[in-house]
Amino acid sequence: MMRDTCPVCQGATVAFEFSKAGFDLSRCGDCGFLFTNPYPTPAQIEAYYTASYRGASADFYPKAASRMRRALVKSLRFIPHVMGKRVLDVGCGGGMMVKAFSLWSASASGLDISPGSIAYARKQYPKCHFYCESFADFAHRGETFDFVFSTELLEHLAGPEDFMEMLRTVTEPGGVVYIATPDAGHPAVPATVADWNDVCPPEHLQFFNATNIQILFKRYGFSLTKAFPKKTPAHSLLFRREAA
């Protein structure tokens, strides 16, 4: 369904921007949010990933050893946020970051919609907790977390609302959320945005700049506490859940 209001700021100045790979993209004239409009249907998205990616299983995950090594290194920068805390990785894939966080945290959990990825994570890291379900179903579990980690996920979603509702529900007041996603406002983005490699529907579907990602998180009760500088077009952000 076409959207004539912005999913981020709810402004009514959404207009067609360009087409790429058979999909139309619109931009909000108020906040600059760029998104596939209409978003692909769930069936289109499933068909794309089924055709494009090698399937994970309980006994196989692509590049598992190197992913685990990178996860262990990456986890070190987050020790102040995870030490002794309840931690969740949203879009956890094969569970490598969950396992790495478990070395420091009180508990570590992962959420993903890929049955094969979760089967692998459960078999390899049985002391961690893994869930294969939608954002809405997970939010209804009543679980809450002190630190939520999500990288390379937000750009893949057909709209930000379900993800943000889940974050608001599962993050403790005062808790911290880390987000990594492409930065459409970065100086390294080509002047002709359609030429940017990250614009690749139906894989990447929505693109934030430094202003509108804060607008989105503010709407759901989060404030930006730190933006890590990046030489490449990527957001690396820490948000804090405001007290109710």
Side-chain angles (χ1 to χ4, degrees):
M1 179 183 297
M2 288 288 294
R3 303 183 70 154
D4 54 9
T5 59
C6 176
V8 169
C9 73
Q10 302 179 313
T13 60
V14 170
F16 171 79
E17 187 80 357
F18 58 83
S19 296
K20 189 169 184 180
F23 293 88
D24 293 340
L25 286 90
S26 295
R27 188 184 296 275
C28 173
D30 293 329
C31 74
F33 181 57
L34 179 68
F35 64 104
T36 308
N37 193 19
Y39 286 112
T41 65
Q44 287 177 301
I45 294 172
E46 181 179 0
Y48 170 76
Y49 284 106
T50 299
S52 302
Y53 287 87
R54 296 165 60 193
S57 69
D59 298 308
F60 171 77
Y61 197 84
K63 301 179 181 178
S66 62
R67 290 175 189 270
M68 188 69 249
R69 288 193 295 270
R70 291 196 300 272
L72 290 168
V73 173
K74 185 181 293 186
S75 72
L76 299 177
R77 71 187 294 195
F78 297 103
I79 287 177
H81 302 293
V82 305
M83 182 65 73
K85 304 291 188 178
R86 294 163 295 171
V87 176
L88 172 68
D89 180 4
V90 182
C92 67
M96 290 75 177
M97 283 303 305
V98 178
K99 172 58 179 175
F101 285 143
S102 74
L103 301 177
W104 322 107
S105 62
S107 66
S109 301
L111 171 65
D112 203 286
I113 61 169
S114 166
S117 297
I118 292 298
Y120 180 88
R122 285 172 173 163
K123 183 173 182 179
Q124 296 298 317
Y125 316 119
K127 294 184 179 180
C128 301
H129 309 285
F130 294 99
Y131 304 89
C132 184
E133 57 197 35
S134 69
F135 297 141
D137 287 344
F138 186 73
H140 286 131
R141 285 183 171 272
E143 302 258 7
T144 58
F145 302 87
D146 306 299
F147 180 72
V148 180
F149 179 86
S150 185
T151 67
E152 301 177 10
L153 172 67
L154 192 52
E155 65 271 22
H156 293 265
L157 304 178
E161 295 92 345
D162 290 347
F163 176 77
M164 295 304 303
E165 288 285 1
M166 183 273 298
L167 276 189
R168 176 164 58 185
T169 300
V170 306
T171 307
E172 281 283 344
V176 173
V177 173
Y178 175 77
I179 296 291
T181 192
D183 179 3
H186 194 281
V189 172
T192 302
V193 179
D195 294 336
W196 184 25
N197 289 338
D198 270 311
V199 178
C200 51
E203 182 176 8
H204 292 178
L205 302 173
Q206 53 189 4
F207 307 90
F208 300 85
N209 60 35
T211 298
N212 56 40
I213 198 166
Q214 291 186 63
I215 291 172
L216 176 66
F217 275 76
K218 186 69 175 178
R219 277 182 54 207
Y220 287 87
F222 295 87
S223 57
L224 181 69
T225 61
K226 187 173 180 63
F228 298 96
K230 300 286 288 186
K231 294 182 180 179
T232 56
H235 291 293
S236 181
L237 307 169
L238 286 175
F239 291 91
R240 188 171 299 278
R241 175 77 161 90
E242 297 168 354

Short mmCIF file of all heavy atoms in Angstrom, two decimals, residues 45-110:
data_model
loop_
_atom_site.label_atom_id
_atom_site.label_comp_id
_atom_site.label_asym_id
_atom_site.label_seq_id
_atom_site.Cartn_x
_atom_site.Cartn_y
_atom_site.Cartn_z
N ILE A 45 9.36 -10.13 -0.07
CA ILE A 45 10.58 -10.15 0.73
C ILE A 45 11.05 -11.58 0.95
O ILE A 45 12.23 -11.90 0.80
CB ILE A 45 10.35 -9.43 2.07
CG1 ILE A 45 10.10 -7.93 1.81
CG2 ILE A 45 11.55 -9.61 3.00
CD1 ILE A 45 9.67 -7.17 3.04
N GLU A 46 10.12 -12.46 1.30
CA GLU A 46 10.48 -13.87 1.52
C GLU A 46 11.05 -14.49 0.26
O GLU A 46 12.06 -15.22 0.31
CB GLU A 46 9.26 -14.65 2.00
CG GLU A 46 9.56 -16.11 2.29
CD GLU A 46 8.35 -16.89 2.78
OE1 GLU A 46 7.27 -16.29 2.90
OE2 GLU A 46 8.51 -18.09 3.05
N ALA A 47 10.46 -14.20 -0.89
CA ALA A 47 10.94 -14.76 -2.14
C ALA A 47 12.35 -14.29 -2.45
O ALA A 47 13.20 -15.06 -2.92
CB ALA A 47 10.00 -14.38 -3.28
N TYR A 48 12.63 -13.02 -2.15
CA TYR A 48 13.97 -12.48 -2.41
C TYR A 48 15.01 -13.20 -1.57
O TYR A 48 16.05 -13.64 -2.07
CB TYR A 48 14.01 -10.98 -2.12
CG TYR A 48 15.42 -10.43 -2.15
CD1 TYR A 48 16.07 -10.21 -3.35
CD2 TYR A 48 16.12 -10.18 -0.97
CE1 TYR A 48 17.38 -9.74 -3.39
CE2 TYR A 48 17.41 -9.71 -0.99
CZ TYR A 48 18.04 -9.49 -2.20
OH TYR A 48 19.33 -9.03 -2.23
N TYR A 49 14.76 -13.31 -0.26
CA TYR A 49 15.76 -13.92 0.61
C TYR A 49 15.92 -15.41 0.36
O TYR A 49 17.01 -15.96 0.47
CB TYR A 49 15.43 -13.63 2.08
CG TYR A 49 15.76 -12.21 2.47
CD1 TYR A 49 14.78 -11.26 2.64
CD2 TYR A 49 17.09 -11.82 2.63
CE1 TYR A 49 15.08 -9.95 2.99
CE2 TYR A 49 17.41 -10.51 2.97
CZ TYR A 49 16.41 -9.59 3.14
OH TYR A 49 16.73 -8.29 3.46
N THR A 50 14.83 -16.06 -0.01
CA THR A 50 14.91 -17.49 -0.34
C THR A 50 15.81 -17.71 -1.55
O THR A 50 16.61 -18.66 -1.59
CB THR A 50 13.51 -18.05 -0.62
OG1 THR A 50 12.70 -17.91 0.56
CG2 THR A 50 13.59 -19.53 -0.99
N ALA A 51 15.72 -16.82 -2.53
CA ALA A 51 16.50 -16.97 -3.76
C ALA A 51 17.94 -16.50 -3.62
O ALA A 51 18.82 -16.98 -4.33
CB ALA A 51 15.82 -16.20 -4.89
N SER A 52 18.19 -15.58 -2.68
CA SER A 52 19.49 -14.90 -2.64
C SER A 52 20.47 -15.43 -1.61
O SER A 52 21.67 -15.20 -1.73
CB SER A 52 19.27 -13.41 -2.40
OG SER A 52 18.45 -12.85 -3.40
N TYR A 53 19.98 -16.10 -0.56
CA TYR A 53 20.86 -16.46 0.54
C TYR A 53 20.91 -17.96 0.77
O TYR A 53 19.88 -18.65 0.70
CB TYR A 53 20.40 -15.76 1.83
CG TYR A 53 20.69 -14.29 1.82
CD1 TYR A 53 19.79 -13.39 1.27
CD2 TYR A 53 21.90 -13.79 2.30
CE1 TYR A 53 20.06 -12.03 1.22
CE2 TYR A 53 22.18 -12.44 2.28
CZ TYR A 53 21.25 -11.56 1.73
OH TYR A 53 21.54 -10.23 1.69
N ARG A 54 22.10 -18.45 1.05
CA ARG A 54 22.26 -19.85 1.43
C ARG A 54 21.63 -20.06 2.79
O ARG A 54 21.84 -19.28 3.72
CB ARG A 54 23.74 -20.21 1.48
CG ARG A 54 24.46 -20.13 0.14
CD ARG A 54 25.96 -20.13 0.31
NE ARG A 54 26.42 -21.33 0.97
CZ ARG A 54 27.64 -21.48 1.46
NH1 ARG A 54 28.51 -20.49 1.35
NH2 ARG A 54 28.00 -22.60 2.05
N GLY A 55 20.88 -21.13 2.93
CA GLY A 55 20.16 -21.35 4.17
C GLY A 55 21.04 -21.85 5.30
O GLY A 55 21.92 -22.68 5.11
N ALA A 56 20.78 -21.31 6.48
CA ALA A 56 21.42 -21.81 7.69
C ALA A 56 20.61 -22.99 8.23
O ALA A 56 19.43 -23.16 7.90
CB ALA A 56 21.49 -20.71 8.73
N SER A 57 21.26 -23.80 9.05
CA SER A 57 20.58 -24.94 9.66
C SER A 57 21.21 -25.18 11.03
O SER A 57 22.17 -24.50 11.41
CB SER A 57 20.73 -26.19 8.80
OG SER A 57 22.08 -26.63 8.80
N ALA A 58 20.71 -26.15 11.74
CA ALA A 58 21.26 -26.45 13.06
C ALA A 58 22.75 -26.78 12.99
O ALA A 58 23.49 -26.55 13.96
CB ALA A 58 20.48 -27.60 13.70
N ASP A 59 23.21 -27.28 11.85
CA ASP A 59 24.61 -27.71 11.72
C ASP A 59 25.46 -26.81 10.84
O ASP A 59 26.65 -27.09 10.65
CB ASP A 59 24.64 -29.14 11.18
CG ASP A 59 23.96 -30.11 12.11
OD1 ASP A 59 24.30 -30.13 13.32
OD2 ASP A 59 23.06 -30.85 11.64
N PHE A 60 24.86 -25.77 10.29
CA PHE A 60 25.63 -24.92 9.37
C PHE A 60 25.20 -23.46 9.48
O PHE A 60 24.00 -23.15 9.56
CB PHE A 60 25.43 -25.37 7.92
CG PHE A 60 26.02 -24.41 6.92
CD1 PHE A 60 27.39 -24.39 6.68
CD2 PHE A 60 25.21 -23.52 6.23
CE1 PHE A 60 27.93 -23.48 5.77
CE2 PHE A 60 25.74 -22.62 5.32
CZ PHE A 60 27.10 -22.61 5.08
N TYR A 61 26.22 -22.57 9.50
CA TYR A 61 25.98 -21.14 9.38
C TYR A 61 27.13 -20.54 8.59
O TYR A 61 28.30 -20.84 8.88
CB TYR A 61 25.87 -20.46 10.76
CG TYR A 61 25.21 -19.10 10.68
CD1 TYR A 61 23.83 -18.99 10.68
CD2 TYR A 61 25.98 -17.94 10.56
CE1 TYR A 61 23.21 -17.75 10.58
CE2 TYR A 61 25.36 -16.69 10.45
CZ TYR A 61 23.98 -16.61 10.45
OH TYR A 61 23.36 -15.39 10.34
N PRO A 62 26.84 -19.71 7.58
CA PRO A 62 27.93 -19.20 6.72
C PRO A 62 28.99 -18.43 7.50
O PRO A 62 28.66 -17.57 8.33
CB PRO A 62 27.19 -18.28 5.74
CG PRO A 62 25.77 -18.76 5.74
CD PRO A 62 25.52 -19.26 7.13
N LYS A 63 30.24 -18.76 7.27
CA LYS A 63 31.39 -18.06 7.85
C LYS A 63 31.28 -17.97 9.38
O LYS A 63 31.63 -16.97 9.98
CB LYS A 63 31.51 -16.66 7.26
CG LYS A 63 31.69 -16.65 5.75
CD LYS A 63 31.78 -15.24 5.20
CE LYS A 63 31.92 -15.24 3.68
NZ LYS A 63 31.98 -13.87 3.12
N ALA A 64 30.83 -19.04 10.00
CA ALA A 64 30.57 -19.03 11.44
C ALA A 64 31.82 -18.70 12.25
O ALA A 64 31.77 -17.91 13.20
CB ALA A 64 29.99 -20.38 11.87
N ALA A 65 32.96 -19.30 11.92
CA ALA A 65 34.17 -19.10 12.72
C ALA A 65 34.63 -17.64 12.68
O ALA A 65 34.95 -17.04 13.72
CB ALA A 65 35.28 -20.02 12.25
N SER A 66 34.66 -17.05 11.48
CA SER A 66 35.11 -15.66 11.37
C SER A 66 34.10 -14.71 12.00
O SER A 66 34.47 -13.70 12.61
CB SER A 66 35.35 -15.28 9.91
OG SER A 66 34.17 -15.38 9.14
N ARG A 67 32.82 -15.01 11.89
CA ARG A 67 31.80 -14.19 12.53
C ARG A 67 31.96 -14.23 14.05
O ARG A 67 31.79 -13.20 14.73
CB ARG A 67 30.40 -14.67 12.15
CG ARG A 67 30.01 -14.41 10.70
CD ARG A 67 28.66 -15.03 10.40
NE ARG A 67 28.31 -15.00 9.00
CZ ARG A 67 27.64 -14.02 8.39
NH1 ARG A 67 27.26 -12.97 9.09
NH2 ARG A 67 27.37 -14.09 7.10
N MET A 68 32.30 -15.39 14.59
CA MET A 68 32.47 -15.49 16.04
C MET A 68 33.68 -14.68 16.49
O MET A 68 33.63 -14.01 17.52
CB MET A 68 32.63 -16.97 16.43
CG MET A 68 32.63 -17.23 17.94
SD MET A 68 31.01 -16.93 18.72
CE MET A 68 31.33 -15.48 19.70
N ARG A 69 34.75 -14.74 15.74
CA ARG A 69 35.94 -13.95 16.10
C ARG A 69 35.63 -12.45 16.09
O ARG A 69 36.02 -11.73 17.02
CB ARG A 69 37.08 -14.26 15.14
CG ARG A 69 37.70 -15.65 15.31
CD ARG A 69 39.01 -15.77 14.56
NE ARG A 69 38.83 -15.66 13.11
CZ ARG A 69 38.60 -16.70 12.32
NH1 ARG A 69 38.51 -17.92 12.83
NH2 ARG A 69 38.47 -16.52 11.00
N ARG A 70 34.92 -11.99 15.08
CA ARG A 70 34.58 -10.58 15.00
C ARG A 70 33.64 -10.18 16.13
O ARG A 70 33.74 -9.08 16.68
CB ARG A 70 33.96 -10.25 13.64
CG ARG A 70 34.94 -10.34 12.48
CD ARG A 70 34.40 -9.63 11.25
NE ARG A 70 33.15 -10.19 10.78
CZ ARG A 70 33.05 -11.20 9.92
NH1 ARG A 70 34.16 -11.78 9.45
NH2 ARG A 70 31.88 -11.64 9.53
N ALA A 71 32.72 -11.07 16.47
CA ALA A 71 31.79 -10.78 17.56
C ALA A 71 32.51 -10.61 18.89
O ALA A 71 32.19 -9.71 19.67
CB ALA A 71 30.74 -11.89 17.66
N LEU A 72 33.48 -11.46 19.16
CA LEU A 72 34.23 -11.36 20.40
C LEU A 72 34.97 -10.02 20.50
O LEU A 72 34.96 -9.36 21.55
CB LEU A 72 35.22 -12.52 20.52
CG LEU A 72 34.59 -13.89 20.76
CD1 LEU A 72 35.63 -14.99 20.56
CD2 LEU A 72 33.98 -13.98 22.16
N VAL A 73 35.57 -9.60 19.39
CA VAL A 73 36.27 -8.31 19.38
C VAL A 73 35.28 -7.17 19.54
O VAL A 73 35.50 -6.24 20.33
CB VAL A 73 37.09 -8.16 18.08
CG1 VAL A 73 37.67 -6.75 17.98
CG2 VAL A 73 38.20 -9.20 18.03
N LYS A 74 34.19 -7.21 18.80
CA LYS A 74 33.21 -6.13 18.84
C LYS A 74 32.58 -5.99 20.23
O LYS A 74 32.28 -4.88 20.68
CB LYS A 74 32.12 -6.39 17.81
CG LYS A 74 31.11 -5.26 17.68
CD LYS A 74 30.03 -5.58 16.66
CE LYS A 74 30.56 -5.65 15.26
NZ LYS A 74 29.47 -5.82 14.26
N SER A 75 32.39 -7.11 20.92
CA SER A 75 31.73 -7.05 22.22
C SER A 75 32.51 -6.24 23.25
O SER A 75 31.93 -5.70 24.19
CB SER A 75 31.49 -8.47 22.75
OG SER A 75 32.70 -9.09 23.16
N LEU A 76 33.82 -6.12 23.05
CA LEU A 76 34.65 -5.45 24.05
C LEU A 76 34.25 -4.00 24.25
O LEU A 76 34.28 -3.49 25.37
CB LEU A 76 36.13 -5.54 23.65
CG LEU A 76 36.70 -6.95 23.53
CD1 LEU A 76 38.15 -6.89 23.05
CD2 LEU A 76 36.60 -7.70 24.85
N ARG A 77 33.85 -3.32 23.16
CA ARG A 77 33.52 -1.89 23.28
C ARG A 77 32.23 -1.67 24.07
O ARG A 77 31.95 -0.57 24.53
CB ARG A 77 33.40 -1.25 21.90
CG ARG A 77 32.19 -1.67 21.12
CD ARG A 77 32.19 -1.14 19.69
NE ARG A 77 32.10 0.29 19.61
CZ ARG A 77 31.81 0.95 18.49
NH1 ARG A 77 31.61 0.29 17.36
NH2 ARG A 77 31.73 2.27 18.47
N PHE A 78 31.43 -2.74 24.21
CA PHE A 78 30.14 -2.60 24.89
C PHE A 78 30.15 -3.12 26.32
O PHE A 78 29.10 -3.14 26.97
CB PHE A 78 29.06 -3.33 24.09
CG PHE A 78 28.84 -2.76 22.72
CD1 PHE A 78 29.35 -3.40 21.59
CD2 PHE A 78 28.15 -1.57 22.55
CE1 PHE A 78 29.17 -2.87 20.33
CE2 PHE A 78 27.97 -1.02 21.29
CZ PHE A 78 28.48 -1.68 20.17
N ILE A 79 31.31 -3.51 26.82
CA ILE A 79 31.38 -4.06 28.18
C ILE A 79 30.74 -3.14 29.22
O ILE A 79 30.00 -3.62 30.09
CB ILE A 79 32.84 -4.39 28.56
CG1 ILE A 79 33.30 -5.64 27.79
CG2 ILE A 79 32.99 -4.63 30.06
CD1 ILE A 79 34.75 -6.01 28.03
N PRO A 80 30.96 -1.81 29.17
CA PRO A 80 30.31 -0.95 30.18
C PRO A 80 28.78 -1.04 30.17
O PRO A 80 28.15 -0.80 31.20
CB PRO A 80 30.79 0.46 29.81
CG PRO A 80 32.05 0.25 29.07
CD PRO A 80 31.85 -1.03 28.30
N HIS A 81 28.19 -1.38 29.03
CA HIS A 81 26.74 -1.44 28.92
C HIS A 81 26.17 -2.83 29.19
O HIS A 81 24.98 -2.96 29.48
CB HIS A 81 26.30 -0.99 27.52
CG HIS A 81 26.74 0.39 27.17
ND1 HIS A 81 26.25 1.51 27.81
CD2 HIS A 81 27.66 0.84 26.28
CE1 HIS A 81 26.83 2.60 27.30
NE2 HIS A 81 27.68 2.21 26.38
N VAL A 82 27.00 -3.87 29.08
CA VAL A 82 26.48 -5.23 29.22
C VAL A 82 26.92 -5.94 30.49
O VAL A 82 26.32 -6.94 30.88
CB VAL A 82 26.86 -6.10 27.99
CG1 VAL A 82 26.40 -5.44 26.71
CG2 VAL A 82 28.34 -6.38 27.93
N MET A 83 27.94 -5.42 31.17
CA MET A 83 28.46 -6.11 32.35
C MET A 83 27.36 -6.28 33.40
O MET A 83 26.80 -5.31 33.92
CB MET A 83 29.63 -5.33 32.94
CG MET A 83 30.27 -6.00 34.15
SD MET A 83 31.07 -7.59 33.75
CE MET A 83 32.53 -7.03 32.86
N GLY A 84 27.03 -7.52 33.68
CA GLY A 84 26.03 -7.84 34.70
C GLY A 84 24.61 -7.48 34.32
O GLY A 84 23.72 -7.48 35.17
N LYS A 85 24.36 -7.21 33.02
CA LYS A 85 23.05 -6.75 32.57
C LYS A 85 22.30 -7.85 31.80
O LYS A 85 22.87 -8.86 31.41
CB LYS A 85 23.20 -5.53 31.66
CG LYS A 85 23.95 -4.36 32.27
CD LYS A 85 23.18 -3.71 33.39
CE LYS A 85 23.88 -2.43 33.85
NZ LYS A 85 23.12 -1.75 34.91
N ARG A 86 21.02 -7.59 31.59
CA ARG A 86 20.20 -8.44 30.71
C ARG A 86 20.30 -7.86 29.30
O ARG A 86 19.95 -6.70 29.08
CB ARG A 86 18.75 -8.44 31.19
CG ARG A 86 18.55 -9.09 32.56
CD ARG A 86 17.21 -8.71 33.15
NE ARG A 86 17.18 -7.26 33.42
CZ ARG A 86 16.09 -6.59 33.77
NH1 ARG A 86 14.93 -7.22 33.88
NH2 ARG A 86 16.14 -5.29 34.01
N VAL A 87 20.75 -8.69 28.35
CA VAL A 87 21.10 -8.21 27.01
C VAL A 87 20.28 -8.93 25.95
O VAL A 87 20.04 -10.14 26.05
CB VAL A 87 22.61 -8.43 26.75
CG1 VAL A 87 22.97 -8.03 25.33
CG2 VAL A 87 23.44 -7.64 27.76
N LEU A 88 19.86 -8.17 24.93
CA LEU A 88 19.12 -8.74 23.80
C LEU A 88 19.76 -8.28 22.50
O LEU A 88 20.04 -7.09 22.32
CB LEU A 88 17.66 -8.26 23.83
CG LEU A 88 16.80 -8.62 22.60
CD1 LEU A 88 16.56 -10.12 22.52
CD2 LEU A 88 15.47 -7.86 22.65
N ASP A 89 19.97 -9.21 21.56
CA ASP A 89 20.41 -8.89 20.20
C ASP A 89 19.22 -9.14 19.27
O ASP A 89 18.75 -10.27 19.13
CB ASP A 89 21.60 -9.78 19.80
CG ASP A 89 22.12 -9.50 18.39
OD1 ASP A 89 21.61 -8.57 17.74
OD2 ASP A 89 23.03 -10.22 17.95
N VAL A 90 18.73 -8.06 18.63
CA VAL A 90 17.60 -8.16 17.71
C VAL A 90 18.13 -8.31 16.29
O VAL A 90 18.86 -7.46 15.80
CB VAL A 90 16.70 -6.91 17.81
CG1 VAL A 90 15.50 -7.06 16.87
CG2 VAL A 90 16.22 -6.70 19.24
N GLY A 91 17.75 -9.40 15.64
CA GLY A 91 18.34 -9.75 14.35
C GLY A 91 19.65 -10.47 14.58
O GLY A 91 20.66 -10.18 13.95
N CYS A 92 19.63 -11.46 15.46
CA CYS A 92 20.86 -12.07 15.99
C CYS A 92 21.51 -13.05 15.04
O CYS A 92 22.65 -13.49 15.28
CB CYS A 92 20.58 -12.75 17.32
SG CYS A 92 19.49 -14.20 17.20
N GLY A 93 20.83 -13.44 13.95
CA GLY A 93 21.42 -14.41 13.04
C GLY A 93 21.80 -15.70 13.76
O GLY A 93 21.00 -16.28 14.50
N GLY A 94 23.04 -16.14 13.57
CA GLY A 94 23.50 -17.38 14.18
C GLY A 94 23.90 -17.27 15.64
O GLY A 94 24.39 -18.25 16.21
N GLY A 95 23.70 -16.12 16.25
CA GLY A 95 23.87 -15.98 17.71
C GLY A 95 25.27 -15.66 18.17
O GLY A 95 25.55 -15.72 19.38
N MET A 96 26.17 -15.25 17.28
CA MET A 96 27.56 -15.02 17.68
C MET A 96 27.69 -13.85 18.66
O MET A 96 28.41 -13.94 19.66
CB MET A 96 28.45 -14.77 16.46
CG MET A 96 28.68 -16.00 15.60
SD MET A 96 27.20 -16.38 14.61
CE MET A 96 27.79 -17.78 13.66
N MET A 97 26.99 -12.73 18.39
CA MET A 97 27.07 -11.61 19.33
C MET A 97 26.43 -11.96 20.66
O MET A 97 26.90 -11.53 21.72
CB MET A 97 26.40 -10.37 18.74
CG MET A 97 27.20 -9.63 17.69
SD MET A 97 28.86 -9.07 18.20
CE MET A 97 28.51 -8.11 19.66
N VAL A 98 25.37 -12.76 20.62
CA VAL A 98 24.73 -13.18 21.88
C VAL A 98 25.73 -13.97 22.72
O VAL A 98 25.87 -13.73 23.93
CB VAL A 98 23.47 -14.01 21.59
CG1 VAL A 98 22.84 -14.51 22.90
CG2 VAL A 98 22.47 -13.20 20.79
N LYS A 99 26.42 -14.91 22.09
CA LYS A 99 27.43 -15.69 22.80
C LYS A 99 28.53 -14.78 23.35
O LYS A 99 28.95 -14.92 24.52
CB LYS A 99 28.03 -16.74 21.88
CG LYS A 99 29.23 -17.49 22.47
CD LYS A 99 28.87 -18.20 23.76
CE LYS A 99 30.08 -18.95 24.31
NZ LYS A 99 29.81 -19.56 25.63
N ALA A 100 29.00 -13.82 22.54
CA ALA A 100 30.05 -12.92 23.00
C ALA A 100 29.57 -12.09 24.18
O ALA A 100 30.29 -11.92 25.18
CB ALA A 100 30.49 -12.01 21.85
N PHE A 101 28.36 -11.55 24.10
CA PHE A 101 27.83 -10.76 25.20
C PHE A 101 27.65 -11.59 26.47
O PHE A 101 27.75 -11.09 27.59
CB PHE A 101 26.49 -10.13 24.81
CG PHE A 101 26.59 -8.97 23.87
CD1 PHE A 101 25.63 -8.78 22.87
CD2 PHE A 101 27.62 -8.05 23.97
CE1 PHE A 101 25.71 -7.70 22.01
CE2 PHE A 101 27.71 -6.96 23.10
CZ PHE A 101 26.75 -6.79 22.12
N SER A 102 27.37 -12.88 26.29
CA SER A 102 27.13 -13.74 27.46
C SER A 102 28.37 -13.86 28.35
O SER A 102 28.26 -14.23 29.52
CB SER A 102 26.67 -15.13 27.01
OG SER A 102 27.75 -15.90 26.48
N LEU A 103 29.54 -13.55 27.81
CA LEU A 103 30.77 -13.62 28.61
C LEU A 103 30.80 -12.53 29.67
O LEU A 103 31.52 -12.64 30.66
CB LEU A 103 31.99 -13.48 27.70
CG LEU A 103 32.13 -14.53 26.59
CD1 LEU A 103 33.35 -14.22 25.73
CD2 LEU A 103 32.24 -15.93 27.20
N TRP A 104 30.01 -11.47 29.45
CA TRP A 104 30.03 -10.32 30.37
C TRP A 104 28.69 -10.09 31.06
O TRP A 104 28.66 -9.50 32.15
CB TRP A 104 30.40 -9.04 29.60
CG TRP A 104 31.44 -9.24 28.54
CD1 TRP A 104 31.25 -9.24 27.19
CD2 TRP A 104 32.84 -9.48 28.74
NE1 TRP A 104 32.44 -9.48 26.53
CE2 TRP A 104 33.43 -9.61 27.46
CE3 TRP A 104 33.65 -9.58 29.87
CZ2 TRP A 104 34.79 -9.84 27.27
CZ3 TRP A 104 35.01 -9.82 29.69
CH2 TRP A 104 35.56 -9.95 28.41
N SER A 105 27.62 -10.53 30.46
CA SER A 105 26.28 -10.14 30.93
C SER A 105 25.72 -11.10 31.96
O SER A 105 26.22 -12.22 32.15
CB SER A 105 25.33 -10.06 29.74
OG SER A 105 25.20 -11.34 29.13
N ALA A 106 24.64 -10.67 32.59
CA ALA A 106 23.91 -11.57 33.50
C ALA A 106 23.12 -12.59 32.69
O ALA A 106 22.98 -13.75 33.09
CB ALA A 106 22.98 -10.76 34.39
N SER A 107 22.56 -12.17 31.57
CA SER A 107 21.86 -13.08 30.66
C SER A 107 21.95 -12.49 29.26
O SER A 107 22.05 -11.27 29.09
CB SER A 107 20.39 -13.26 31.06
OG SER A 107 19.68 -12.04 30.90
N ALA A 108 21.93 -13.35 28.25
CA ALA A 108 22.04 -12.90 26.87
C ALA A 108 21.02 -13.65 26.02
O ALA A 108 20.96 -14.88 26.06
CB ALA A 108 23.45 -13.12 26.33
N SER A 109 20.24 -12.88 25.24
CA SER A 109 19.18 -13.46 24.42
C SER A 109 19.29 -12.93 23.00
O SER A 109 19.84 -11.86 22.75
CB SER A 109 17.80 -13.08 24.98
OG SER A 109 17.64 -13.54 26.30
N GLY A 110 18.73 -13.70 22.05
CA GLY A 110 18.72 -13.29 20.66
C GLY A 110 17.36 -13.52 20.04
O GLY A 110 16.66 -14.48 20.38
#
